Amino acid sequence: MLYLYYKTAKVVKTHVKSFMIVIRNTGKSVIFMKRMIKFITLLVIITLCTMIVSFADSTIAYFSRYPKDISIYISRPEISMKLMLNDNSIETIKMKLDGKEVGATYDAEREMIVYKPMSPLSPGLHTIDLEVHISGWSNFLAQSWSFTVRENALTSFPSVSDEQKQALNYVNAFRESLGLSSLSINYSLNAAANAHTNYMILNSRTTHDELQSNKGYSGGTPFTRAKSYGYNGIAIAENVSSGFNDLTKALQEFISAPYHRLAWLNPYAQDFGYFGKNGYHTLLFGSMMARHDEIVTYPYSNQTDVPINWENTETPDPLRNTSDSQIGYPITISYFSDRKVTSVEIEKFTIEDSLGNDIKKYSKSPENDEYLIDSIIIIPEEPLKGNTKYYVSAILTVYFEGGEHKKVSHTFSFRTENKKTYAYDDIENHWAVDVIDELAQKKIVTARDANHFRPDAAITRGEFSLYVSKMLGLNLRNIEGTFSDVSSDTPNSNYIEAAQRYGIIKGYQDGTFQPNKLMTRQEMAAVMKRTYEIKTRSTTDTTDYSIRFTDNADISSWAVDSVKLCSKLGIINGRTDGSFDPFDSTTRAEAVVMIDRLMEAID
């Protein structure tokens, strides 16, 4: 299941003589769970206060003083003010830091007055007084502001890790495939990502918003945290995930879900920061002001490996008015502009295969989807065909603030990936197909009948014992009669007794095992906790870890620690209503996914 938290803010547009400043403030925050793993994507673009100063016939614009009215976590911040000269020139710059004049300069490329202290600033309040004299002007620009350096401020940023480079390379490879500019590592964003990841770990929460009362607090919002660590950009997009020890897996899931994907497509993004630890990941994208109009699509033109289907588990569900869960891979078209886009209307949209057959589809645009502004989402009603070329043609009307609009035509094509042959006949379009197929290839899971896996059937205690025993590669023996109801004729009997000898399964007080009884969720948690502790040769302590299920009181006392550990490791998550449902059964597909996560946690 996918969760989305979305908010929209204002757009401020200011015309300044021969140029136009567009400051976009559109926030999209996305929280989702893929294969029951939590993900959060947040897009926050912050409005800045722009000051226009006119002298005679010339005009300049200044804004974005930094750091201003905030507490920062770095002791050598770049002190700056954005200053757009509009063909004017600076005569002198006088900046005072705490009453002492310092050597501030003008960075023409960034259009910014900057100064970085030579040595760390002491904790506490600091003031800036700035005077800028413009050539030929009798008046001058004067500004004063202050900021606070925190007690635990960094004196220098950590070096870039291999994992941070890996994340950057993955993102840049994705952007390169779309013809978008590469991002660069930004030390301030790395530091902000580091702080937020540690906050999530300390509080066992996957979230964007930090509470000051919680451990590891570093700022309430992504924008605040980025600024607190010295970032000078005007737009921040934050992606957060938990539950994947593999960084690549954590990154891959965002691209398929169409709402989440939009945060990756900004052609004006320049800076990147990342930090991951204990299965938690935080990514930050820093963006600058838009400078031209651009259409960005995904799949991109001539892409050759497009998946045929998508597991619709995103919330808000882009198909919330339908019941379809197995559909084709989503297509998105976004219109980026230096003007505020207020809406995009679909005049005409077609998808055709190589034979000219029209593909039935669901269309989402700002007209019928409150979560869209400058993008449209098209989702085929059925999975696409493998190794097939598809042609997309769109005619859109883009509306801008002030009533202006333009008609846009765009065509492109893509090819789907080669159709894969799977281990079982009934898993191809299932949401857990990749995990089931992978574990089948490893001889860990088996069919229930003939070549059918029956992924949505509830798993029994005997079947789960089989899977865990195969995962561990346990040695088998002749049946010893450990349980009164498990004989040599009982399916999976050798594996049941092997798991019992290994100490990972237990029977009932009457001496039975009841292999055909459905396995409850709390029983599975207990088995996986024992497996984890035996394989890692460790004793887990969950005393300080709290679970936040609505039915905590229903969990049997003997299973509480097991549920805590499995929740902490991201192996078992709650239901959509926030409950754990300890006595409910689990499908065979869900069980396979849990075993896969258990293997990751052990590794």
Side-chain angles (χ1 to χ4, degrees):
M1 177 169 31
L2 305 173
Y3 295 94
L4 170 69
Y5 166 65
Y6 185 102
K7 58 184 177 183
T8 303
K10 302 175 187 175
V11 174
V12 176
K13 180 165 62 178
T14 307
H15 293 272
V16 186
K17 200 173 180 181
S18 63
F19 60 87
M20 179 175 68
I21 302 175
V22 179
I23 305 172
R24 304 187 56 196
N25 186 346
T26 303
K28 299 180 182 178
S29 170
V30 183
I31 307 176
F32 68 94
M33 187 183 301
K34 185 79 169 180
R35 297 182 187 163
M36 301 301 288
I37 305 277
K38 290 183 180 178
F39 284 84
I40 305 177
T41 302
L42 174 65
L43 175 61
V44 180
I45 302 181
I46 304 299
T47 299
L48 303 173
C49 179
T50 303
M51 303 295 297
I52 308 302
V53 182
S54 299
F55 296 93
D57 295 326
S58 300
T59 307
I60 67 170
Y62 67 94
F63 51 89
S64 185
R65 289 159 288 174
Y66 176 81
K68 179 180 181 296
D69 301 333
I70 61 172
S71 296
I72 59 175
Y73 290 90
I74 53 173
S75 57
R76 292 186 60 225
E78 182 182 68
I79 300 168
S80 64
M81 185 182 78
K82 183 76 173 180
L83 179 62
M84 305 176 75
L85 293 172
N86 194 30
D87 297 327
N88 294 286
S89 60
I90 294 177
E91 186 174 288
T92 60
I93 299 173
K94 293 183 179 180
M95 178 184 285
K96 291 183 178 180
L97 171 59
D98 298 332
K100 296 182 180 179
E101 190 165 336
V102 295
T105 58
Y106 185 71
D107 186 330
E109 182 176 352
R110 293 192 291 165
E111 298 182 302
M112 188 178 291
I113 293 173
V114 297
Y115 169 72
K116 189 167 186 176
M118 299 298 293
S119 57
L121 300 179
S122 61
L125 184 68
H126 297 272
T127 58
I128 299 295
D129 297 293
L130 176 65
E131 288 185 9
V132 183
H133 293 256
I134 307 299
S135 297
W137 291 10
S138 57
N139 297 318
F140 61 89
L141 172 64
Q143 285 289 297
S144 298
W145 68 92
S146 62
F147 61 91
T148 301
V149 175
R150 290 181 173 266
E151 290 285 346
N152 57 343
L154 298 173
T155 56
S156 62
F157 290 117
S159 58
V160 180
S161 68
D162 289 341
E163 191 175 36
Q164 287 169 330
K165 294 176 183 177
Q166 178 189 347
L168 176 67
N169 290 339
Y170 184 95
V171 172
N172 280 340
F174 172 82
R175 290 176 63 86
E176 182 181 358
S177 67
L178 278 76
L180 301 178
S181 60
S182 296
L183 308 182
S184 300
I185 284 286
N186 181 278
Y187 286 94
S188 294
L189 295 185
N190 271 355
N194 187 330
H196 187 57
T197 295
N198 286 327
Y199 172 90
M200 292 190 293
I201 293 171
L202 288 170
N203 296 281
S204 301
R205 297 183 61 193
T206 309
T207 180
H208 292 297
D209 301 322
E210 294 189 7
L211 300 178
Q212 196 163 3
S213 58
N214 284 347
K215 295 176 287 186
Y217 174 82
S218 61
T221 67
F223 186 78
T224 301
R225 293 189 291 273
K227 287 295 181 182
S228 294
Y229 281 95
Y231 185 63
N232 267 338
I234 65 168
I236 291 294
E238 180 182 78
N239 292 348
V240 181
S241 69
S242 65
F244 276 128
N245 293 322
D246 186 330
L247 170 61
T248 299
K249 284 187 177 180
L251 298 175
Q252 287 173 341
E253 304 296 346
F254 289 102
I255 298 172
S256 294
Y259 287 129
H260 302 73
R261 177 193 303 165
L262 301 178
W264 290 61
L265 305 179
N266 186 354
Y268 315 119
Q270 294 180 338
D271 302 312
F272 179 76
Y274 164 77
F275 189 80
K277 184 179 179 182
N278 294 355
Y280 287 86
H281 307 272
T282 301
L283 290 84
L284 289 171
F285 299 80
S287 303
M288 300 303 290
M289 197 175 299
R291 299 188 183 278
H292 60 276
D293 288 12
E294 187 168 347
I295 296 175
V296 182
T297 72
Y298 196 82
Y300 57 84
S301 182
N302 298 319
Q303 187 172 346
T304 59
D305 59 350
V306 178
I308 63 172
N309 64 332
W310 175 56
E311 176 200 346
N312 181 13
T313 52
E314 192 171 17
T315 302
D317 179 359
L319 301 179
R320 46 196 171 275
N321 297 322
T322 72
S323 59
D324 287 356
S325 59
Q326 289 298 322
I327 62 275
Y329 195 73
I331 300 167
T332 56
I333 299 181
S334 301
Y335 191 92
F336 294 93
S337 177
D338 60 355
R339 294 172 289 174
K340 179 191 175 183
V341 176
T342 58
S343 184
V344 177
E345 292 183 2
I346 302 174
E347 302 292 336
K348 184 178 180 181
F349 195 104
T350 61
I351 311 173
E352 295 181 347
D353 62 18
S354 55
L355 298 177
N357 298 313
D358 185 62
I359 306 303
K360 294 182 179 180
K361 57 199 173 294
Y362 301 105
S363 300
K364 310 295 291 184
S365 73
E367 295 177 275
N368 60 5
D369 192 319
E370 67 271 29
Y371 299 107
L372 296 174
I373 297 175
D374 51 11
S375 302
I376 65 169
I377 297 172
I378 305 296
I379 304 177
E381 291 185 12
E382 297 179 355
L384 302 174
K385 297 178 181 178
N387 196 26
T388 300
K389 191 169 186 178
Y390 288 89
Y391 299 85
V392 178
S393 178
I395 300 177
L396 311 174
T397 299
V398 182
Y399 291 88
F400 303 94
E401 187 177 47
E404 185 181 353
H405 66 277
K406 66 183 294 188
K407 187 163 290 189
V408 177
S409 298
H410 195 73
T411 60
F412 64 100
S413 63
F414 61 85
R415 182 176 291 276
T416 52
E417 60 190 354
N418 285 327
K419 191 175 179 66
K420 183 178 178 180
T421 301
Y422 295 101
Y424 306 112
D425 295 338
D426 59 345
I427 65 171
E428 180 179 338
N429 295 319
H430 195 272
W431 63 267
V433 55
D434 291 335
V435 183
I436 296 172
D437 192 63
E438 180 183 354
L439 268 62
Q441 301 299 333
K442 293 179 179 179
K443 310 296 183 184
I444 294 175
V445 301
T446 60
R448 173 168 277 191
D449 59 77
N451 201 43
H452 298 113
F453 184 74
R454 308 300 181 194
D456 295 323
I459 195 167
T460 65
R461 287 166 54 82
E463 288 172 332
F464 194 69
S465 300
L466 168 70
Y467 292 171
V468 175
S469 296
K470 281 180 168 288
M471 180 196 78
L472 297 172
L474 301 184
N475 294 323
L476 304 181
R477 300 180 189 172
N478 293 329
I479 295 300
E480 299 173 350
T482 305
F483 301 110
S484 60
D485 58 347
V486 176
S487 65
S488 58
D489 296 329
T490 304
N492 309 318
S493 57
N494 290 338
Y495 294 96
I496 293 171
E497 286 199 354
Q500 187 275 334
R501 286 194 300 271
Y502 204 67
I504 58 176
I505 67 166
K506 295 181 180 180
Y508 294 100
Q509 291 182 350
D510 62 358
T512 64
F513 180 71
Q514 301 184 34
N516 294 323
K517 182 180 179 181
L518 300 183
M519 194 83 167
T520 68
R521 286 164 58 80
Q522 66 178 8
E523 286 176 338
M524 293 181 73
V527 170
M528 289 188 287
K529 178 178 183 291
R530 296 183 201 118
T531 304
Y532 179 81
E533 291 180 334
I534 291 173
K535 286 296 291 183
T536 59
R537 298 180 181 178
S538 63
T539 301
T540 55
D541 183 3
T542 58
T543 304
D544 296 331
Y545 185 80
S546 59
I547 46 179
R548 298 180 175 85
F549 299 118
T550 57
D551 57 350
N552 281 354
D554 295 337
I555 301 172
S556 300
S557 58
W558 56 265
V560 170
D561 286 342
S562 299
V563 174
K564 281 185 176 182
L565 179 64
C566 289
S567 174
K568 182 177 182 179
L569 295 175
I571 296 172
I572 300 182
N573 296 292
R575 299 298 198 190
T576 58
D577 61 359
S579 67
F580 180 74
D581 214 354
F583 296 100
D584 192 23
S585 60
T586 300
T587 68
R588 286 164 56 83
E590 290 172 335
V592 171
V593 172
M594 292 178 193
I595 289 175
D596 184 57
R597 295 181 197 150
L598 175 61
M599 292 167 64
E600 283 193 10
I602 290 172
D603 290 341

